[in-house]
Amino acid sequence: MQIHFQSDPLLGPDDLNITVNAVTKNDKVINLLNYLDKYDQKSSSLIPIKTEDRILTIKQIELIKVEVTKNILSFYTKSDVIQANGRLYQVLTKLNENFVQVSKHGIINLNHLLSLEAGFTGNMIAKLNFDQRADVSRKYLPELERRLGL
């Protein structure tokens, strides 16, 4: 990766113009664009969850994983599972950098990851705190390994 700075006198003092050049718009480019998009946003430590009868908040540090089945999201904490309607990609945009998508139906909190083990079908199994597990598909494994520094 090459990084260059170029002064532009036409921009205002607080304006930035960022261009990402690559051969294709691959996962690495998409991850960088998502990171840049979140750069200037204020990160909240709370996640609002709208259920049928109320709005709950969960501290991000307490959230272990999020899974989706059809359009039902399940938020797993140490002592509770909260269900709400929604889409997984919308939840991922609200979470901080400690969370990573591990399958098309799951997100895990890296702070709660204990180990990765081989599964029966060739996928990996993420063992998490409080006896939680999550399937890690082969498609998402390279990003998880990168986030772990492997």
Side-chain angles (χ1 to χ4, degrees), residues 1-133:
M1 179 184 327
Q2 298 177 16
I3 300 173
H4 305 281
F5 172 77
Q6 181 177 341
S7 179
D8 188 344
L10 300 176
L11 292 175
D14 292 331
D15 293 335
L16 292 173
N17 182 10
I18 299 172
T19 303
V20 177
N21 297 319
V23 174
T24 61
K25 190 174 181 179
N26 57 24
D27 288 341
K28 191 173 184 179
V29 172
I30 292 169
N31 290 335
L32 177 60
L33 294 174
N34 289 337
Y35 175 80
L36 291 171
D37 191 42
K38 290 181 181 179
Y39 173 75
D40 209 17
Q41 294 177 2
K42 293 179 180 157
S43 177
S44 173
S45 62
L46 295 176
I47 302 167
I49 301 170
K50 186 175 182 179
T51 63
E52 285 186 18
D53 57 347
R54 60 187 169 163
I55 297 176
L56 301 169
T57 58
I58 299 176
K59 293 180 182 175
Q60 288 196 34
I61 197 160
E62 294 175 358
L63 185 60
I64 299 169
K65 69 178 180 175
V66 182
E67 291 184 341
V68 66
T69 305
K70 295 186 181 179
N71 65 336
I72 305 295
L73 292 167
S74 298
F75 297 84
Y76 292 82
T77 64
K78 175 182 177 181
S79 59
D80 210 359
V81 178
I82 300 165
Q83 293 189 326
N85 289 326
R87 302 247 180 202
L88 196 64
Y89 76 90
Q90 293 171 330
V91 174
L92 190 58
T93 61
K94 296 177 185 176
L95 298 172
N96 65 28
E97 66 278 352
N98 295 323
F99 291 85
V100 64
Q101 187 167 357
V102 293
S103 67
K104 68 179 183 178
H105 53 80
I107 298 170
I108 64 169
N109 185 342
L110 293 175
N111 291 327
H112 290 283
L113 179 63
L114 299 175
S115 65
L116 288 171
E117 297 179 359
F120 293 113
T121 61
N123 289 351
M124 300 290 281
I125 305 289
K127 285 193 166 187
L128 306 163
N129 288 331
F130 310 109
D131 294 325
Q132 298 285 337
R133 293 172 179 255

